[in-house]
Amino acid sequence: MALNVIKTSRISPATTLLEPLILPLTFFDLMWLKLNPTERVTFYRLTEASSHEAFYSMILPKLERSLSLTLTHFLPLSGHLKWNPQDPKPHIVVLPQDAVSLTVAETNADFSRLSSKGLRPETELRPLLPPDLHVSSDSVSVVSLQITLFPNQGFCIGTKVHHVVMDGKTGSKFHKTWAHICKHGTMTTPRDFILPTLLDRSVINVPSRLEQKVLELMSDKDSCLKLSPCKELYDDVFRITLDVSQENVDKLKERAKNECSDDLHLSTFVVTFAYVWTCMVKARGGGEPDRPVRFRYAVDLRNRLVPSVPETYFGNCVIPIVLGEYKAKMFLGEDGFLNGVKILSDSVKGCGSRGVESLWEQYEEGKKNLKMGTQVLALTGSNQFGIYGSDFGWGRPVNTEVMSIYGNNMFSMSARRDGTGGVEIGVALKKCEMDVFISLSTGGL
Ligand SMILES: CC(C)(COP(=O)(O)OP(=O)(O)OC[C@H]1O[C@@H](n2cnc3c(N)ncnc32)[C@H](O)[C@@H]1OP(=O)(O)O)[C@@H](O)C(=O)NCCC(=O)NCCSC(=O)CC(=O)O
């Protein structure tokens, strides 16, 4: 696949910032200081009438103008992460001249194949992501974007976002706001993403000692702005999207109910996560049944804190939940699915009743005690974000993929494109494990 970079521009917010905007990182932001950026690609099909010329004369200028307008509501995205030597913690700073880097590229690749849900090599999708976040001696940018045209077929928006600046909920709101402004030319307020965004950090009400704890665990100050080295990308990693229909979700819920009389929290999230994790453990092989496995997901605390955090809050309000250590054999047998459901059901129930400090302590302990060789299966994204609602004026996305799961042990979740319930699960695995995963996951439904 050939990729030709046409231009790289800097898109600034359509507002005049008279003074720098300084946003201290909260406990929930600091947690993600060392994490690799969240990466996503989203594909849009163009109609036959949208020629190559129309893309450059009409579509691209519209995308650029609406991005600039959107950034006025999401100002921190054009800024940088900085940590001054005299400050106890880092902050995001937005200077009047700051802008977001937008790369425009063209490719001769087959749009239909790359944007399909079928098996695709990871290496063919990664060029659709923008260049890495710009790191200088004392700061790092927080967002990088790329729009790639597939002439006469469609285009793709690739994003890299430093997780310290926003979580998945704020991120999907950004994407949907950009789409809405592009389609309608203005920000009439749709019900599901109320503007303006709230930058006030005082709405995050957690014990102040937690910030110190997270800083101790996450960083040494000298190297705080360097992200962890990227995970190695193997040539033989493939990606697939597993479509779990509402009917299949209902069957999984029914199966859990029939196998267990306990009062379980049987949500779509719980049953599909448990189902996929048993397939992932089995895909690794049953040769070492005593090997340690862990599971990780994030919980949104906006409605679980007291007082709750307004829906309009811009930033992070999620905390990772680590489940384990378990032995692989617990998920290899007939009762593997039910074991997963019980663990997750208890965990989700606990998120509502346990305080933030207790959730943090569990995570901290897990991070410190991680044994070498543990298979950590992590879930990213959520079926509650409605990411397929981002229509820029040329229809809903044909596909959207979280790309930062290439590390071979992560998978992503979103609601399905057609809005008829169920979920999509994005998986990236080495080919040998992928073959087993496909036969197990499709066979079991
Ligand atoms: C902790 C959770 C994952 C748990 O999700 P759940 O869907 O299980 O639970 P929920 O409380 O939200 O409730 C919704 C579902 O539970 C059902 N439900 C509620 N009470 C129930 C009960 N007593 N018994 C059975 N079902 C019940 C509802 O009908 C619905 O099901 P049904 O669904 O079947 O209709 C979620 O609450 C959450 O916080 N999601 C957001 C996570 C997030 O933000 N992730 C992104 C992290 S950042 C990231 O990853 C990076 C990035 O993306 O950029």
Side-chain angles (χ1 to χ4, degrees):
M1 149 179 176
L3 188 95
N4 185 16
V5 172
I6 307 295
K7 65 171 182 174
T8 300
S9 40
R10 286 166 47 78
I11 307 287
S12 33
T15 185
T16 313
L17 200 61
L18 297 175
E19 297 182 0
L21 169 74
I22 294 178
L23 211 58
L25 297 192
T26 69
F27 162 71
F28 292 114
D29 303 327
L30 288 166
M31 222 170 294
W32 310 101
L33 205 52
K34 304 295 278 182
L35 194 80
N36 296 116
T38 307
E39 302 167 337
R40 182 181 279 280
V41 291
T42 306
F43 295 89
Y44 294 88
R45 191 179 291 285
L46 291 174
T47 59
E48 278 163 27
S50 311
S51 64
H52 193 261
E53 287 71 31
F55 180 78
Y56 286 104
S57 63
M58 196 262 293
I59 297 174
L60 184 60
K62 257 181 120 174
L63 288 166
E64 290 174 331
R65 244 189 336 267
S66 52
L67 174 59
S68 170
L69 285 168
T70 307
L71 288 171
T72 60
H73 301 287
F74 293 82
L75 272 179
L77 299 186
S78 36
H80 291 82
L81 174 66
K82 267 196 103 160
W83 195 346
N84 297 326
Q86 70 277 13
D87 292 342
K89 63 174 180 174
H91 57 267
I92 305 279
V93 60
V94 190
L95 302 172
Q97 69 273 20
D98 276 346
V100 168
S101 162
L102 173 69
T103 301
V104 177
E106 264 185 46
T107 177
N108 61 358
D110 180 351
F111 179 86
S112 297
R113 198 173 78 82
L114 285 190
S115 66
S116 77
K117 313 271 186 207
L119 204 59
R120 287 145 297 151
E122 189 72 20
T123 45
E124 287 187 27
L125 286 158
R126 294 203 70 78
L128 303 174
L129 286 169
D132 285 343
L133 300 177
H134 181 258
V135 184
S136 70
S137 58
D138 67 345
S139 72
V140 53
S141 62
V142 291
V143 171
S144 177
L145 299 171
Q146 177 169 317
I147 296 173
T148 306
L149 173 66
F150 295 67
N152 303 316
Q153 302 177 78
F155 68 94
C156 168
I157 298 180
T159 55
K160 282 190 183 170
V161 179
H162 200 314
H163 209 318
V164 290
V165 73
M166 61 183 180
D167 58 19
K169 183 160 199 171
T170 304
S172 58
K173 187 169 158 179
F174 164 71
H175 208 93
K176 285 189 277 181
T177 305
W178 180 13
H180 184 88
I181 293 180
C182 185
K183 183 171 181 178
H184 299 283
T186 167
M187 193 61 238
T188 51
T189 308
R191 265 175 305 138
D192 61 340
F193 48 103
I194 312 150
L195 292 174
T197 44
L198 179 70
L199 298 181
D200 179 2
R201 276 26 214 158
S202 69
V203 299
I204 298 292
N205 188 20
V206 299
S208 56
R209 59 184 173 275
L210 286 181
E211 277 193 8
Q212 196 45 41
K213 287 188 177 188
V214 75
L215 275 170
E216 279 163 22
L217 189 70
M218 292 299 158
S219 68
D220 75 78
K221 194 166 177 176
D222 292 337
S223 64
C224 80
L225 298 181
K226 290 192 200 112
L227 297 168
S228 306
C230 279
K231 290 170 215 132
E232 194 177 346
L233 175 62
Y234 299 102
D235 284 346
D236 64 342
V237 170
F238 280 71
R239 170 177 289 270
I240 199 165
T241 308
L242 180 69
D243 233 339
V244 187
S245 66
Q246 184 60 48
E247 195 190 343
N248 282 329
V249 169
D250 293 341
K251 276 190 206 159
L252 289 173
K253 288 182 178 178
E254 224 21 67
R255 184 173 149 194
K257 261 192 235 160
N258 292 339
E259 289 176 19
C260 178
S261 55
D262 297 354
D263 178 25
L264 297 170
H265 175 88
L266 288 182
S267 64
T268 302
F269 165 83
V270 165
V271 295
T272 48
F273 189 4
Y275 181 71
V276 175
W277 100 21
T278 56
C279 295
M280 296 276 270
V281 175
K282 287 175 190 163
R284 180 62 57 93
E288 296 168 70
D290 287 326
R291 69 189 155 82
V293 288
R294 279 187 180 188
F295 306 95
R296 198 177 68 219
Y297 69 98
V299 56
D300 184 349
L301 293 182
R302 283 170 176 78
N303 286 318
R304 292 172 166 109
L305 291 177
V306 181
S308 62
V309 174
E311 281 298 299
T312 49
Y313 179 73
F314 174 100
N316 283 288
C317 197
V318 291
I319 193 166
I321 306 289
V322 175
L323 304 169
E325 230 108 57
Y326 303 104
K327 291 186 172 175
K329 65 183 172 197
M330 200 171 166
F331 310 101
L332 292 171
E334 280 288 301
D335 56 354
F337 166 68
L338 188 62
N339 288 337
V341 168
K342 283 182 185 166
I343 293 166
L344 268 169
S345 165
D346 283 352
S347 172
V348 173
K349 283 182 185 175
C351 290
S353 55
R354 293 167 59 188
V356 62
E357 194 149 13
S358 150
L359 293 172
W360 165 255
E361 278 163 7
Q362 187 188 8
Y363 175 70
E364 187 181 33
E365 203 164 309
K367 199 164 160 73
K368 285 180 182 162
N369 301 332
L370 181 65
K371 288 193 202 126
M372 283 280 283
T374 303
Q375 183 183 11
V376 186
L377 292 163
L379 174 79
T380 181
S382 166
N383 54 331
Q384 299 179 356
F385 292 162
I387 189 72
Y388 279 104
S390 55
D391 173 1
F392 284 79
W394 302 280
R396 291 156 77 81
V398 288
N399 191 10
T400 178
E401 303 259 2
V402 179
M403 294 298 294
S404 32
I405 60 166
Y406 62 89
N408 204 32
N409 265 320
M410 294 178 77
F411 47 107
S412 65
M413 184 183 283
S414 76
R416 284 169 76 221
R417 176 178 187 270
D418 60 10
T420 55
V423 290
E424 283 183 13
I425 304 286
V427 183
L429 285 173
K430 286 189 207 165
K431 185 70 171 59
C432 54
E433 288 184 19
M434 181 61 97
D435 291 340
V436 184
F437 177 82
I438 291 172
S439 85
L440 286 170
S441 58
T442 46
L445 292 172

